[in-house]
Each structure stands twice: as structure tokens, then as C-alpha cells.
């Protein structure tokens, strides 16, 4: 079981005082909610339908926007992020700083990313990045928690502290940050806590951006569980999917299972088909793995021909490019969650 960290104790500095809602403000909020639920009207319709009442002196007037009446911080942030990350526009740093100073956590997190990854915008400094991410982590931002965990895990810009890294990954994983689950799984494996690792990998099993979660879940299930306890359909579906997304470890694992007849029918043709993207890979390591498998299991010329033909028909060679893109760089921090479900 993954031990859950108490968010309140870990992020105790986040606690803020919340003022009581006045009856008048409460009634106004109910009016807005009822308008939103009454019909699928556009934002502009909702705003135009609001009753015209005198604006209290304490309520600032909202800035106008041509699209739907007001500009949100999220709209500003997305525009600034595009200018900075895609266009490398340094003039967007000042308005982003203003947005960060207002307490908008995504802007604070983006500043951390910029100081760790964008040399065309600023002079890289992981310590400054850590300060930004620490601030937004206290505001419960999972991307900041994950990135700060990476810095602590590898001692980049901060003291190397694996316990702190683990706690940060754990908190981020509780907010469906799939990469945090992956990092937790790896850390559990280092500790030889394989049940903890399996549970961590299961937490990111359905994310298409991290095929390694499926691969490691399958391998550890096969290695550590009794045959009767292995969810064979889930394990094989995960390995097949990870292989199709270009994970070389999944390809190798499927080849071994086919070669030895474990969980699958023994088939040299299928072993060859599973190894084919490794055999023709630009990476010499995986080419050697494939060659070693050929020597160990000695498939017949007929099995080799049929296996390679089957691979070409089913994949048309496109998986090799996926193989080149499949590795996970654990040392890199990320711009956003990027957790897309399968």
C-alpha cells in the first residue's frame, strides 16, 4: 500500500483565514448558480441576463473582454505561456511576474519551469526554480510538487533528499499526476518493496503518455505474484499497449514470454515479431538485446521469415520511431501534467 501523506501537516503553511460569507453575498452567489444551471446559455448570455444592481464600493469592476465579458487569469496565463514557451518572447516575462505576484499558482509554477528549462528566456538556475515551485507546491499545485520532487531526488539546486522527494511525489500522485506515480514506483523498486511498486504503477496504468507504467506493472506482477494471482488479461493488454507505443522493455518482455511459453503459447514466430523493432533499432543496446535473444533461442529460418513478415504487415515499420521517443527522462522537470488517458 502506498502510504498517504497528510496534506494538512505537510502543507501547514498554506492554511489561510476564510472570512464569513455575508447573507447578501450568499444570495447573490445562489442567483448566479441558478442562472448557470437553468439553461446551456453562453457566458455572454449569462452576464447580460444578470440583474443590474449597484456595484458595492468594495467590489472592483471586472476588466472587459470581447469574448464573454471578462478576462480570467487562466486566459491571460495561457496567452503568456504560448508567447514564452512557443515564441520565446521575453517581453512576456513581466506580465507573467505580475500574474505570479497576484498569487496565481500556475504562473508561479511556470516561472519555475522557465528557470529550469528555458535558457533563451533567462539564465538557468535550479535553485530559483525550486523557490518558485516550493511556493506553488504550498498552494497544492501537483506539477510544482512533482518538479520539486525531481530536484530533491537528484540534488539539483537543493540538497539531495530522497525522503522529501518521495513525499512530494506522493502528494502529486494523489492529484492524478501520473508521472509522480511512475517515480514512486521506481523508488519502491529501489527499496525492493515490489507490492508498493505494483500499486504505484497501477495508479498510472491508464495514462497513454507513460507506457512504462504498464510495462513495469506487468513485469513485477509476473516476477512477484503466484501464477493464480496474476491478472493475466490486464498484464498482457498492458504489455501489448506499451509495446505498440514504442516501449522497448515491453517488446523484450513479450518476446521472452513467447519464447518460453509463459502466460502465452510458445511461438518462435511471435518472439521474432516482438523483437523486430529492437533488431532494426538505431540504438545499439537494443540491437544487441535482440541478437542475444536470437542466439539464446535459435529460431528457425522459417520462423524468422514468418515473424518478420507478420511484424511488417501489422506495424508497417512505424513503431521504430515510437521506440526512439519512448524513453522517460527522470531528471527532467515538466511543463504540465500531460496525463492523457488511454
Amino acid at each position: 500500500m502506498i502510504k498517504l501523506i497528510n496534506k494538512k501537516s505537510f502543507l501547514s503553511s498554506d492554511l489561510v483565514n476564510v472570512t464569513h460569507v455575508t447573507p447578501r453575498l450568499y444570495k447573490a452567489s445562489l442567483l448566479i448558480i441558478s442562472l448557470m444551471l437553468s439553461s446551456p446559455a453562453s457566458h455572454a448570455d449569462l452576464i447580460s441576463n444578470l440583474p443590474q444592481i449597484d456595484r458595492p464600493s468594495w467590489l472592483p469592476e471586472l476588466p472587459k473582454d470581447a469574448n464573454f465579458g471578462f478576462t480570467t487569469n487562466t486566459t491571460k496565463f495561457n496567452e503568456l505561456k504560448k508567447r514564452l514557451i512557443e515564441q520565446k518572447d521575453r517581453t512576456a516575462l513581466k506580465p507573467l511576474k505580475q500574474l505570479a505576484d497576484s498569487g496565481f499558482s500556475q504562473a508561479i509554477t511556470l516561472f519555475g519551469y522557465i528557470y529550469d528549462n528555458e535558457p533563451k528566456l533567462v539564465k538557468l538556475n535550479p535553485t530559483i526554480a525550486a523557490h518558485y515551485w516550493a511556493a506553488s507546491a504550498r498552494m497544492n499545485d501537483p506539477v510544482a510538487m512533482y518538479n520539486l520532487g525531481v530536484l530533491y531526488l537528484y540534488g539539483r539546486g537543493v540538497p539531495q533528499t530522497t525522503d522529501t522527494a518521495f513525499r512530494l511525489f506522493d502528494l502529486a500522485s494523489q492529484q492524478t499526476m501520473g508521472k509522480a506515480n511512475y517515480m514512486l514506483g521506481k523508488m519502491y523498486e529501489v527499496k525492493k518493496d515490489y507490492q508498493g511498486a505494483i500499486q504505484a504503477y497501477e495508479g498510472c496504468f491508464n495514462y497513454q503518455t507513460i507506457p512504462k507504467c504498464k510495462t513495469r506493472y506487468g513485469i513485477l506482477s509476473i516476477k512477484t505474484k503466484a501464477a493464480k494471482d496474476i491478472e493475466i488479461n490486464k498484464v498482457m493488454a498492458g504489455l501489448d499497449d506499451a509495446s505498440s507505443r514504442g516501449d522497448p522493455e515491453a517488446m523484450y518482455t513479450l518476446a521472452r514470454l513467447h519464447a518460453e511459453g509463459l502466460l502465452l503459447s510458445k511461438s518462435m514466430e511471435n518472439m521474432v515479431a516482438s523483437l523486430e523493432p529492437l533488431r532494426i533499432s538505431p540504438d545499439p543496446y537494443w540491437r544487441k538485446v535482440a541478437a542475444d535473444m536470437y542466439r539464446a533461442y535459435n529460431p528457425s529460418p522459417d520462423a524468422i521469415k514468418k515473424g518478420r513478415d507478420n511484424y511488417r504487415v501489422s506495424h508497417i515499420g512505424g513503431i521504430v520511431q515510437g521506440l526512439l521517443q519512448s524513453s522517460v527522462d527522470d531528471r527532467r522537470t515538466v511543463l504540465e501534467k500531460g496525463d492523457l488517458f488511454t
Side-chain angles (χ1 to χ4, degrees), residues 76-270:
K76 294 179 186 176
F77 170 74
N78 288 333
E79 292 171 353
L80 293 172
K81 182 172 72 170
K82 182 176 181 180
R83 287 170 56 190
L84 288 162
I85 303 304
E86 297 181 16
Q87 302 169 11
K88 310 302 180 189
D89 179 4
R90 298 184 77 252
T91 63
L93 287 170
K94 184 175 180 179
L96 182 69
K97 181 66 163 60
Q98 293 171 342
L99 196 56
D101 289 342
S102 73
F104 190 65
S105 65
Q106 289 176 277
I108 300 171
T109 299
L110 179 56
F111 254 115
Y113 179 84
I114 288 170
Y115 271 101
D116 198 45
N117 294 279
E118 295 292 343
K120 291 184 179 180
L121 296 175
V122 298
K123 184 178 179 179
L124 298 185
N125 188 323
T127 301
I128 293 178
H131 280 291
Y132 277 110
W133 284 328
S136 48
R138 294 189 186 101
M139 301 169 73
N140 231 21
D141 187 302
V143 176
M145 293 173 184
Y146 174 83
N147 287 341
L148 194 58
V150 171
L151 296 189
Y152 273 107
L153 182 62
Y154 293 107
R156 189 154 54 83
V158 295
Q160 185 174 22
T161 314
T162 55
D163 286 346
T164 300
F166 184 92
R167 296 178 72 188
L168 286 162
F169 291 144
D170 194 17
L171 286 168
S173 74
Q174 293 174 42
Q175 298 192 59
T176 65
M177 181 84 185
K179 274 198 168 184
N181 282 86
Y182 174 72
M183 296 300 282
L184 283 173
K186 291 190 66 175
M187 295 180 80
Y188 275 122
E189 285 198 66
V190 170
K191 298 177 182 178
K192 300 189 184 304
D193 181 351
Y194 298 119
Q195 292 309 307
I198 288 172
Q199 185 174 346
Y201 291 132
E202 190 170 22
C204 54
F205 189 92
N206 290 323
Y207 292 119
Q208 67 182 21
T209 53
I210 322 170
K212 276 287 185 189
C213 290
K214 295 179 174 68
T215 302
R216 296 309 302 168
Y217 173 87
I219 290 173
L220 292 179
S221 294
I222 294 168
K223 283 185 174 181
T224 65
K225 290 185 177 182
K228 63 181 180 62
D229 296 326
I230 297 175
E231 297 182 64
I232 295 177
N233 291 338
K234 181 173 182 176
V235 166
M236 298 314 304
L239 289 171
D240 282 337
D241 185 74
S243 175
S244 71
R245 296 184 190 281
D247 182 50
E249 192 177 21
M251 298 170 191
Y252 168 75
T253 302
L254 286 171
R256 286 285 304 273
L257 295 177
H258 282 300
E260 298 179 14
L262 296 175
L263 304 182
L264 296 169
S265 298
K266 190 171 184 177
S267 169
M268 291 295 106
E269 292 177 22
N270 289 336

Side-chain angles (χ1 to χ4, degrees), residues 11 24 68 71 74 76 100 121 126 213 221 276 282 319:
L11 304 175
R24 183 177 179 181
F68 51 85
T71 302
T74 300
K76 294 179 186 176
L121 296 175
C213 290
S221 294
E276 187 62 6
I319 201 168

Side-chain angles (χ1 to χ4, degrees), residues 36-37 63-65 112 134 144 154 165 181 260 282 290 321 324 339 342:
M36 293 178 69
L37 295 178
K64 299 298 180 184
D65 181 275
Y154 293 107
N181 282 86
E260 298 179 14
Q321 184 63 28
L324 297 177
D339 294 337
T342 52

